[in-house]
């Protein structure tokens, strides 16, 4: 049977030292507040006035001379909050090995929270922060190497075992760090009460304190460089970041239901580019989260007001249903609308969860995956099928591909038909993409809108930086006047990787005055590379602002798109247009649609697209000197098109959001609980991993420390005489007899005395 221990008695010492005139009026109010805060816990509240030049440690030891009570050291500038002392006591009582407990604070310490760069902390701020910390806390009560700052709770057992504070230290920070490190060395714990907050009013430190703290740091390093480095390593690793982020999440929690959850795959590319562009353009109107959904693992990036993101990694539990998992995400983040961009890695889960959420959702059609798992509608021979809808023919085609053999295309499309039918809105980035979706899902005609993706950088809240005059890196070409044709982007088979290789072979066989440059990479060649005759160059990854400089360096006359499959939009076409480069494109899909509408390039005929010799003829003719005027006119059209395409994308999409929310009717079944994820689940999703103290030299066995603590810190009675002698030796060490004792005593005895007192003193 467990026996509850009586609540500990606590002495609170308010250290008043070098306090600015503007803050002295706060001390009396703080003292009065502390007298009423304890509810039977506080034994005494002491105002400890330490004059400039006085010894802080000695004064604190005198203030805590009466035995039996734990101690709280408070800076005179402290702002205590509702429940702060109860939280510290709960934490201290959770483990008898705990020596010190420190709350979160905006003052000095290993993990100040929050950082207020532009103003001082007000009392109302402190209460709001304390409430957020309490709501976010599991509590975890994590280990830290040292505590202190504005507030530190010290167990009486640890004070007795370690002999109090060392008067050699000038600053409160120094003596607290020394005490904590000595405690750590002999097996005690220093912990953070992550559900408590004690703020600091006014400036955190003054120059005199800075100087004293610097000298104390030097003392710590001189005594034991290894342990003085432990706090610095802790700060660098920052294991408390998830706890701070959980509290910041609570501070930013809102129930305005203007949250949008974007569901995407993990392939990156144009889908992710579009989503992040849309978020950047509408973040003042909507709160956004991106869920990169891969099976049971969903990475949720929460976009903050300043443009930064907070990342969570959620994993669906073994017995957790999809509706419960997704409902937990949307409820936790205050989501009022789901915008689905791709389900290729989360199909089963999203299709199972969306109908039960009671939230409107919409779909942007980035490709034709909903109609066919091949995505690009390409057959086994690599050719575009043109949009076959007959299920028998499609099944035969999928079987020939091997990867999709046995796929039930009928069920695939019927499942997606229900998904499309339930959408509040449908968005296609081109008329071709809209028409092709309607070929497979004709019932969506009344809800589909064509909204082109914005040109890269058109959505930016601040103007894009001007590109460099010269590329930062590039592959050298021979010093001649031969022009190049550029293929831009990540080029796999469907975008023409094998065709590029065959075009290069044909150009080489003809000794054509033309080179091919892949500004990006091929599926078989990611790093920069060049053939021996420089007929083919692979530049490697690029940044969009560098494209104009890269086109100049490689003497590019035009861009070519030797794609074998269709594209629903193409960001690389927008990028090349923005750099003033016209393009030669296939006679299919959005590429042909965009070039035809803008005049910013040329469209291959069907014969040229299917016959690579004819395609090469067209490329050579357009890149040659006789076509300079034609290229110049197309370049002007390219710049004009880049400046206008997708300009209204953000407003048009935001309008769809508003209409969807206005028309939404709740479909949540009665009795189904709608709960946010727990504090534990949020903490772990933020990546929390507890810090463990490094191996300590001369560390005591943890069980011995616990046994000593349960005896009130008095240790084994058989060792009491030696401990008493050690404390007496400590008390006289600064006197002449004490210095004589330390000179004449055997070194072995000195080490034994140090071990009884925590070492290093």
């Amino acid at each position: 049977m467990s026996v509850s221990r009586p609540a500990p008695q606590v002495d609170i010492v308010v250290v008043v030292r070098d306090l600015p005139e503007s803050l002295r009026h706060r001390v009396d109010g703080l003292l009065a507040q502390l007298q009423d805060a304890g509810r039977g816990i506080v034994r005494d509240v002491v105002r400890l006035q330490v004059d400039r030049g006085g010894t802080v440690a000695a004064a604190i030891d005198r203030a805590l001379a009466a035995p039996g009570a734990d101690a709280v050291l408070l800076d005179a500038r402290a702002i205590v909050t509702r429940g702060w002392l109860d939280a510290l006591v709960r934490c201290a009582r959770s483990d008898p090995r705990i020596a010190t407990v420190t709350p979160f604070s905006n003052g000095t310490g290993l993990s100040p929270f929050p950082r207020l760069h532009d103003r001082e902390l007000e009392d109302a701020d402190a209460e709001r922060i304390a409430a957020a910390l309490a709501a976010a806390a599991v509590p975890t009560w994590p280990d830290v190497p040292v505590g202190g700052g504005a507030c530190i709770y010290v167990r009486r057992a640890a004070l007795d075992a370690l002999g109090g504070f060392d008067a050699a230290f000038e600053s409160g920070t120094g003596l607290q760090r020394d005490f904590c490190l000595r405690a750590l060395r002999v097996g005690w714990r220093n912990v953070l009460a992550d559900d408590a907050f004690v703020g600091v009013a006014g400036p955190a430190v003054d120059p005199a304190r800075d100087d004293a703290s610097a000298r104390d740091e030097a003392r710590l390093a001189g005594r034991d460089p290894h342990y003085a480095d432990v706090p610095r390593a802790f700060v660098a690793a920052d294991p408390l970041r998830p706890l701070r982020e959980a509290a910041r999440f609570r501070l930013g929690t809102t129930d305005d239901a203007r949250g949008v959850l974007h569901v995407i795959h993990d392939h990156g590319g144009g889908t992710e580019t579009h989503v992040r562009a849309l978020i950047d353009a509408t973040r003042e109107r909507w709160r956004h989260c991106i869920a990169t959904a891969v099976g049971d693992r969903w990475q949720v990036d929460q976009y903050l007001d300043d443009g930064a993101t907070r990342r969570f990694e959620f994993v669906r539990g073994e017995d957790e249903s999809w509706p419960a998992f997704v409902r937990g995400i949307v409820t936790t983040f205050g989501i009022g609308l789901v915008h689905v961009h791709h389900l290729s890695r989360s199909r089963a889960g999203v299709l199972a969860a969306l109908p039960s959420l009671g939230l409107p959702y919409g779909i942007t059609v980035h490709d034709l995956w909903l109609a066919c798992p091949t995505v690009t509608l390409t057959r086994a021979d690599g050719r575009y099928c043109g949009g076959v809808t007959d299920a028998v023919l499609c099944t035969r085609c999928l079987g020939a591909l091997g990867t999709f053999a046995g796929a039930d295309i009928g069920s695939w499309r019927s499942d997606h038909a229900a998904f499309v039918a339930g959408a509040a809105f449908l968005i296609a980035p081109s008329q071709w993409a809209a028409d092709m979706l309607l070929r497979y899902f004709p019932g969506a005609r009344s809800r589909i809108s064509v909204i082109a993706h914005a040109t890269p950088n058109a959505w930016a809240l601040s103007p894009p930086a001007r590109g460099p005059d010269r590329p930062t890196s590039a592959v050298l070409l021979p010093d001649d006047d031969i022009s190049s044709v550029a293929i831009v982007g990540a080029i796999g088979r469907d975008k023409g990787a094998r065709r590029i290789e065959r075009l290069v072979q044909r150009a080489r066989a003809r000794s054509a005055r033309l080179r091919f440059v892949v500004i990006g990479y091929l599926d078989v060649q990611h790093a920069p590379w060049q053939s021996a005759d420089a007929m083919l160059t692979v530049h490697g990854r690029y940044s969009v602002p560098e494209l104009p400089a890269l086109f100049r360096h490689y003497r590019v006359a035009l861009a070519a798109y030797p794609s074998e499959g269709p594209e629903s939009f193409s960001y690389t076409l927008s990028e090349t247009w923005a750099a003033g480069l016209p393009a030669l494109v296939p006679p299919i899909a959005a590429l042909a649609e965009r070039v035809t509408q803008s005049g910013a390039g040329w469209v291959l005929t069907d014969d040229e697209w299917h016959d690579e010799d004819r395609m090469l003829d067209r490329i050579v003719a357009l890149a040659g000197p006789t076509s300079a005027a034609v290229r110049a006119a197309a370049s002007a059209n390219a710049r004009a098109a880049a400046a206008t395409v997708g300009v209204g994308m953000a407003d048009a999409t935001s309008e769809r959001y508003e209409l969807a929310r206005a028309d939404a009717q709740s479909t949540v079944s009665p009795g189904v609980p709608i709960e946010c994820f727990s504090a534990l689940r949020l903490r772990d999703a933020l990546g929390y991993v507890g810090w463990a103290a490094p191996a300590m030299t001369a560390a005591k066995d943890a069980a011995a420390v616990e046994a000593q603590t349960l005896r009130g810190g008095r240790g084994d009675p058989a060792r009491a005489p030696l401990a008493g002698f050690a404390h007496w030796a400590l008390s006289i060490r600064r006197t002449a007899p004490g210095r004589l004792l330390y000179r004449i005593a055997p070194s072995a005895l000195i080490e034994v005395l140090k071990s009884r007192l925590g070492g290093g003193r």
Side-chain angles (χ1 to χ4, degrees), residues 85 110 127 442 453 499 504 598 647 656:
L85 185 57
L110 292 186
E127 289 294 350
H453 296 334
R499 283 190 143 186
V504 169
S598 64
V647 167
R656 301 305 182 279

Side-chain angles (χ1 to χ4, degrees), residues 353-616:
L354 277 182
S356 69
L357 294 182
L359 296 177
Y361 68 88
I363 305 168
T364 288
V365 182
H366 291 276
D367 55 39
L368 295 175
W369 180 83
L370 291 175
C372 177
T374 62
V375 179
T376 58
L377 303 184
T378 50
R379 305 186 302 251
D381 62 1
R383 297 291 187 179
Y384 170 48
C385 77
V388 174
T389 59
D390 185 280
V392 174
L393 296 178
C394 291
T395 299
R396 188 181 304 157
C397 178
L398 293 174
L401 286 167
T403 305
F404 305 104
D408 185 348
I409 193 64
S411 296
W412 177 275
R413 289 176 184 160
S414 63
D415 289 346
H416 291 165
F419 171 55
V420 169
F425 61 83
L426 297 163
I427 295 174
S430 63
Q431 187 61 53
W432 176 86
D435 292 343
M436 189 59 68
L437 182 75
L438 292 174
R439 176 179 294 193
Y440 291 94
F441 308 106
R445 184 172 301 278
S446 63
R447 288 168 293 119
I448 194 163
S449 305
V450 176
I451 303 175
H453 296 334
T455 302
N457 293 322
W459 55 80
L461 298 183
S462 57
R466 181 179 180 273
D469 293 329
R470 296 181 179 180
T472 55
S473 65
V475 180
L476 295 179
L477 292 179
D479 186 10
D480 53 34
D481 61 352
I482 297 178
S483 297
S484 298
V485 58
I487 302 95
V488 181
I491 311 301
R493 175 180 174 178
D494 60 305
K495 292 193 177 183
R498 306 290 80 77
R499 283 190 143 186
I500 293 168
E501 295 166 352
R502 292 193 293 269
L503 285 168
V504 169
Q505 291 173 351
R506 284 166 168 76
R508 182 179 290 125
R510 294 189 194 180
S511 299
R513 289 181 57 79
L514 183 71
R515 295 191 175 94
F516 292 85
V517 178
V518 176
I519 300 180
Y521 53 88
L522 295 169
D523 52 1
V524 295
Q525 181 63 48
H526 283 216
W529 174 88
Q530 188 175 78
S531 63
D533 59 0
M535 186 67 78
L536 175 62
T537 299
V538 176
H539 171 81
R541 296 180 184 275
Y542 65 95
S543 66
V544 175
E546 278 196 309
L547 272 179
L550 289 170
F551 290 154
R552 288 192 297 271
H553 169 80
Y554 289 118
R555 301 192 293 274
V556 176
L558 73 152
Y561 286 77
S563 306
E564 298 196 45
E567 295 202 40
S568 62
F569 181 71
S570 179
Y571 269 111
T572 62
L573 182 61
S574 297
E575 292 169 359
T576 60
W577 282 357
L581 196 68
L584 178 64
V585 301
I588 60 167
L591 288 171
E593 175 186 318
R594 295 182 66 191
V595 169
T596 299
Q597 290 174 350
S598 64
W602 312 271
V603 178
L604 292 164
T605 66
D606 286 340
D607 288 343
E608 290 170 339
W609 185 46
H610 289 298
D611 187 323
E612 284 152 10
D613 283 308
R614 293 188 178 185
M615 185 186 298
L616 181 59

Side-chain angles (χ1 to χ4, degrees), residues 87 90-92 94-95 97-98 101-102 104 133-144 189-196 234 239-247 678-692:
R90 280 196 306 271
C91 180
S94 68
D95 185 351
R97 296 175 299 144
I98 291 175
V101 180
T102 301
F104 269 118
L133 284 165
V138 174
T140 302
W141 296 330
D143 284 271
V144 294
R189 295 176 61 203
N190 303 302
V191 300
L192 174 78
D194 55 316
D195 54 346
F234 181 89
L240 302 182
R241 181 198 59 79
L243 305 184
R244 297 195 308 272
E245 289 301 311
S678 68
L680 175 63
R681 191 164 191 176
L682 282 173
R683 183 202 71 178
D684 291 348
L686 284 163
Y688 176 74
V689 177
W691 177 81

Side-chain angles (χ1 to χ4, degrees), residues 74 120 153 162 271 308 314 334 392 421 519 549 586 595-596 620 629 631 663:
L74 269 182
E120 296 179 0
Y153 184 108
L162 300 175
T271 300
F314 295 107
V392 174
I519 300 180
V595 169
T596 299
V620 170
R631 291 199 304 271
D663 293 342

Side-chain angles (χ1 to χ4, degrees), residues 622-715:
L622 287 171
T626 59
S627 298
V630 175
R631 291 199 304 271
S635 294
N637 292 338
R639 289 190 175 89
T644 59
V645 65
V647 167
M649 178 266 290
D651 290 340
T653 305
S654 187
E655 181 182 352
R656 301 305 182 279
Y657 290 175
E658 295 285 7
L659 292 172
R661 290 188 64 238
D663 293 342
Q665 298 293 327
S666 175
T667 58
V668 178
S669 302
V672 176
I674 301 178
E675 298 180 355
C676 298
F677 284 149
S678 68
L680 175 63
R681 191 164 191 176
L682 282 173
R683 183 202 71 178
D684 291 348
L686 284 163
Y688 176 74
V689 177
W691 177 81
M696 296 290 151
T697 58
K700 293 182 180 179
D701 181 76
V705 174
E706 182 169 345
Q708 172 179 312
T709 305
L710 293 174
R711 296 188 192 102
R714 303 190 185 282

